[in-house]
Amino acid sequence: MLSSQLKFPCAKKLSHSPYIYTEFILAKSTTNTINIMSCLLQLLSFFLIISSATSIQTPKHYVVYMGSSAGETAESDHLQLLSTVIPREERERISITNHYNHALKGFSAMLTDDEASELSGRDGVVSVFPDSILQSHTTRSWDFLDDNSNPKLNRGSYLQPHKSSYDVIIGMIDTGIWAESPSFKDEGMGEIPKRWKGVCMEGPDFKKSDCNRKLIGARYYSVMHASNGNNTTQMRVDKSPRDTVGHGTHTASIAAGALVANASYHGLAQGTARGGSPLFRIAAYKACSEDGCPGSTILKAIDDAVKDDVDIISISIGTSAFLQSDFLKDPIAIGAFHAEQMGVMVVCSGGNEGPDPFTVINAAPWIFTVAASNIDRDFQSKVLLGNGRIFQGSAINFSNLTRTETYPLAYGKDIAAKYSPIPEARSCYPGSLDPEKVKGKIIVCFDGFPVVSRTIKKLVAEDAKAKGLILINENDKSAPFDSGPFPFTEFFEYALKNKACFDSSKNPSATILPTVEIPRIKPAPVVAYFSSRGPSVLTENILKPDIMAPGVAILAAVTPKDEEESASDGEKPGGYALRSGTSMACPHVTGASALVKSVHPKWTSSMIRSALMTTATVYDNMRKPLTNSSASFAIPLEMGVGEISPVKALNPGLVFETTTEDYLRFLCYNGSPEKTIRSMSKTNFKCPTKSSDDLISNINYPSISISKLEKSKGFLTIKRSVTNVGHPNVTYTSTAQTPMGMKVKVLPKKITFLENVKRVSFKVLFDGSEASSGYNFGYITWSAAQYSVRMVFAVNVE
């Protein structure tokens, strides 16, 4: 129909051929060059028209961001705005999905590309962008943090309530919550703070009585997800705050879970599970399903959380580093900016796309961005070969295999299906193995195709009736994989040297034993292999990630369904599981931030962030510099300023206050128009006359990052100011730990605070004329009495 209406000479051939390109070019009627070129141009026009027509006919979900809220905005105003771009004959589309009217102003709605483009040019509209689907970044950890940085600490001193303690409310934006978990019991907690304005929304499987003095609020949003039934897949909405995925329950219990004795994951990691403090309050915002988290919904959850009067928002969610949007088209960055304006701290996971550089996300300066590390605990599974050799692998499995019987051992390449490429079979690629050859054997696969996850390899082995799977990973050590009852173990690079041992007999055999816990391992912490690395692709002049926290094999609460999938037949779920990711690291920093907030309720979020960053530790449990999973020294682009030390942060001495004006100047330097920034801030803010990306290094951040220091330009001056939150009359002296060849000067070298002098400025001068090209790292320490305030720097010398 469309081709006949266009009346192209080549349209008939186009409309009948299933192979448009081939038949079009070889058509008998187009034997000369001119005709061929003519038809190619027609083909291009044809597809452009189809693309345009499709764009017009298919509305998509868009977010319309309109800056800072100056009070309640009527939904009718936004409906009126929509009616000016949506045709009258399609008036049924004039509806709003999400309405933002507290921390920020705007809405989300179904729009065509042309309608979105038209709206983006209207007065009062900051940006219009497609709604994106973001993903989650998926006990002993808190004790390890205390032990590593404070070996003589009496934990009871801060786990118990203090008379002056502030009642901290944490907003968890995630997949919801399993209210019945013991981690959310409210024993010993006082009345809900009177300032709390939130709600406990009901659903078919969630009642108001499921909330209590610990879980004080629960909201859900209309998030579509796939539901399988009767051999069909349908889209539905769970109208309940109940967590059906497990991720939200896990992160909430890490941040603020109650004390739960004898928690374990089927016997592994047994001990007392707890969050940052048993007495912090939790408000759950279910903005995600198993299919992901719409950005428009996350933005609505942030808006609601600020309105509800939470103190800290925790978001273990994000997009891929390669799909990052500009800060003003990123729903998390937008929501976090306005939360910060309203005095609410936002802590986010930095992503799981390491160890490559430029993979960190959630990197706006008003977001506290978290990297992941391990703790002093590992999980290992032995492989016993028929020749008596024993190898120690990494895994979390509940294998029912024993030492008494071994099974034939086979490499993927030797059990390939007919016509399967050997590299695919070697890596246990789906469809590459012959089930008849696999059945009853323990198979050995290599991690040759990174896109084929360990979960998929395990499913390939299970479906083919393998007895177990040994994976040889050619990369650095990653987090232990949870294979449930299926026998699995993983060897890393060093295991390749022992490959010959697997082939040492004509008929090799093996068995895989269940996982055992290895406590008190050294070194720890170590930067997790998967943890996303800096610098940020959006700006290198802010050091990201900010800080590191435990994120490998963390024991915390889950939903019963989530745990049942890993349990052996007939085993009763215990309600706790081990999970890894920056998703798990983020709530550790949330809990630590809440601890500081509880002791210093008047501190701003930037002061809390500074306290945690300047007191972070850079040493492991061997008292040696922190390392990464390759056993190399960790650098700030991997770990930020180091591993959190929550108790030290309670008394940091000095803090770097990053103000709203700093963030507005950042937007200027990053290229945002002044008019846009005024809409975001509802002020008459004026950008500095000189606004360039390199000036971002001068915003008052607790670390320093310089994207380009030219060797030929001499000293570059960076400015900072610090606020005294310690003893009133004190003098600090600076020292600099610098890389070879780099000259660093601090002016003045000493700074003095008096009763009436709370804030002092200083300069740091960098000269890289004799330094190595590339990134150079070091730190400046301000010392006085018991205080040691450490500021990390990362300088790229060219």
Side-chain angles (χ1 to χ4, degrees), residues 320-384:
S320 166
F322 305 104
L323 299 175
Q324 287 189 80
S325 301
D326 174 84
F327 292 120
L328 302 189
K329 292 185 178 180
D330 177 347
I332 293 179
I334 291 169
F337 175 85
H338 291 288
E340 168 69 25
Q341 275 190 316
M342 305 286 283
V344 178
M345 186 175 195
V346 179
V347 184
C348 291
S349 50
N352 297 339
E353 295 181 277
D356 293 333
F358 294 99
T359 52
V360 68
I361 63 165
N362 294 327
W366 49 82
I367 292 174
F368 203 178
T369 312
V370 186
S373 63
N374 73 341
I375 61 173
D376 62 342
R377 178 175 65 195
D378 199 10
F379 298 95
Q380 299 180 355
S381 172
K382 290 181 180 178
V383 171
L384 275 61

Side-chain angles (χ1 to χ4, degrees), residues 376 520-524 621-622:
D376 62 342
R520 305 291 178 179
I521 64 163
K522 294 180 179 181
N621 55 1
M622 299 170 68

Side-chain angles (χ1 to χ4, degrees), residues 707-728:
S707 64
K708 186 178 180 180
L709 180 65
E710 296 184 49
K711 289 189 176 186
S712 60
K713 293 290 182 70
F715 280 101
L716 174 69
T717 301
I718 301 297
K719 300 175 182 178
R720 286 292 186 272
S721 61
V722 283
T723 302
N724 183 24
V725 292
H727 295 311

Side-chain angles (χ1 to χ4, degrees), residues 271-573:
T272 298
R274 68 175 176 92
S277 170
L279 300 182
F280 296 154
R281 317 281 183 167
I282 296 171
Y285 298 82
K286 183 178 178 180
C288 307
S289 71
E290 57 263 40
D291 293 332
C293 318
S296 61
T297 307
I298 293 172
L299 197 54
K300 177 62 175 172
I302 294 173
D303 196 43
D304 283 341
V306 173
K307 182 180 180 179
D308 292 343
D309 212 2
V310 305
D311 297 292
I312 301 171
I313 295 173
S314 187
I315 305 177
S316 292
I317 296 161
T319 186
S320 166
F322 305 104
L323 299 175
Q324 287 189 80
S325 301
D326 174 84
F327 292 120
L328 302 189
K329 292 185 178 180
D330 177 347
I332 293 179
I334 291 169
F337 175 85
H338 291 288
E340 168 69 25
Q341 275 190 316
M342 305 286 283
V344 178
M345 186 175 195
V346 179
V347 184
C348 291
S349 50
N352 297 339
E353 295 181 277
D356 293 333
F358 294 99
T359 52
V360 68
I361 63 165
N362 294 327
W366 49 82
I367 292 174
F368 203 178
T369 312
V370 186
S373 63
N374 73 341
I375 61 173
D376 62 342
R377 178 175 65 195
D378 199 10
F379 298 95
Q380 299 180 355
S381 172
K382 290 181 180 178
V383 171
L384 275 61
L385 299 181
N387 62 11
R389 302 287 305 265
I390 299 175
F391 293 95
Q392 200 75 259
S394 173
I396 298 172
N397 78 61
F398 305 100
S399 164
N400 59 5
L401 303 185
T402 65
R403 296 172 177 267
T404 58
E405 186 175 2
T406 59
Y407 301 88
L409 192 66
Y411 283 85
K413 65 182 180 62
D414 298 325
I415 49 177
K418 195 173 182 180
Y419 306 123
S420 287
I422 293 301
E424 290 187 5
R426 182 177 180 271
S427 300
C428 293
Y429 196 90
S432 66
L433 302 182
D434 184 337
E436 290 301 317
K437 296 178 182 178
V438 172
K439 188 175 181 180
K441 295 183 176 69
I442 289 176
I443 62 175
V444 180
C445 295
F446 287 77
D447 193 25
F449 288 84
V451 294
V452 182
S453 66
R454 294 181 291 186
T455 300
I456 293 175
K457 292 181 191 294
K458 172 211 161 190
L459 292 173
V460 168
E462 273 187 311
D463 289 346
K465 308 299 182 189
K467 277 291 182 180
L469 171 62
I470 297 171
L471 178 63
I472 296 180
N473 191 327
E474 299 174 15
N475 295 311
D476 299 332
K477 186 174 181 181
S478 187
F481 174 64
D482 184 353
S483 65
F486 183 74
F488 170 93
T489 197
E490 183 173 13
F491 297 102
F492 297 91
E493 189 174 9
Y494 66 85
L496 298 176
K497 300 173 185 177
N498 298 315
K499 176 179 177 293
C501 297
F502 290 160
D503 296 324
S504 58
S505 62
K506 290 184 178 180
N507 299 300
S509 63
T511 188
I512 301 173
L513 299 182
T515 294
V516 295
E517 178 185 347
I518 309 298
R520 305 291 178 179
I521 64 163
K522 294 180 179 181
V526 169
V527 181
Y529 175 80
F530 58 77
S531 187
S532 289
R533 268 61 165 177
S536 167
V537 296
L538 298 179
T539 177
E540 292 188 44
N541 290 306
I542 295 290
L543 179 61
K544 292 286 179 173
D546 288 309
I547 205 162
M548 188 168 70
V552 176
I554 304 302
L555 182 74
V558 292
T559 66
K561 179 184 176 183
D562 191 37
E563 193 193 3
E564 283 171 5
E565 294 173 357
S566 299
S568 301
D569 291 341
E571 186 175 358
K572 184 179 178 182

Side-chain angles (χ1 to χ4, degrees), residues 3 6 8-25 27 39-40 42-47 50:
S3 62
L6 294 174
F8 288 159
C10 303
K12 185 176 181 182
K13 202 65 182 176
L14 280 168
S15 62
H16 285 82
S17 175
Y19 303 103
I20 292 175
Y21 294 100
T22 305
E23 293 206 31
F24 185 81
I25 294 172
C39 284
L40 284 173
Q42 291 171 28
L43 177 64
L44 178 61
S45 300
F46 177 79
F47 281 120
I50 289 177

Side-chain angles (χ1 to χ4, degrees), residues 245-267:
V245 179
H247 190 270
T249 300
H250 202 269
T251 55
S253 64
I254 293 171
L259 293 166
V260 180
N262 297 315
S264 74
Y265 184 40
H266 306 304

Side-chain angles (χ1 to χ4, degrees), residues 34-159:
I34 295 175
N35 284 338
I36 290 175
M37 292 302 298
S38 175
C39 284
L40 284 173
L41 287 171
Q42 291 171 28
L43 177 64
L44 178 61
S45 300
F46 177 79
F47 281 120
L48 286 174
I49 291 170
I50 289 177
S51 175
S52 177
T54 303
S55 164
I56 293 170
Q57 293 171 0
T58 309
K60 296 182 293 189
H61 200 204
Y62 276 87
V63 175
V64 180
Y65 168 48
M66 304 176 72
S68 181
S69 176
E72 294 289 326
T73 304
E75 189 171 334
S76 58
D77 293 343
H78 292 156
L79 290 170
Q80 175 62 31
L81 181 61
L82 274 180
S83 69
T84 64
V85 297
I86 295 177
R88 184 175 300 175
E89 59 271 19
E90 298 180 45
R91 65 182 60 182
E92 70 279 358
R93 283 202 292 114
I94 303 176
S95 65
I96 288 172
T97 308
N98 291 297
H99 181 224
Y100 316 121
N101 67 348
H102 187 73
L104 65 146
K105 184 168 67 173
F107 60 93
S108 65
M110 299 298 292
L111 299 168
T112 65
D113 292 343
D114 287 347
E115 291 162 357
S117 179
E118 185 176 348
L119 271 181
S120 66
R122 297 292 180 87
D123 287 340
V125 175
V126 173
S127 60
V128 180
F129 51 93
D131 191 13
S132 55
I133 301 298
L134 311 183
Q135 300 296 328
S136 58
H137 292 143
T138 276
T139 73
R140 167 66 189 155
S141 56
W142 284 106
D143 291 345
F144 170 68
L145 287 172
D146 298 340
D147 291 345
N148 191 44
S149 57
N150 305 275
K152 298 179 181 180
L153 173 72
N154 173 16
R155 292 191 193 95
S157 64
Y158 75 97
L159 284 179

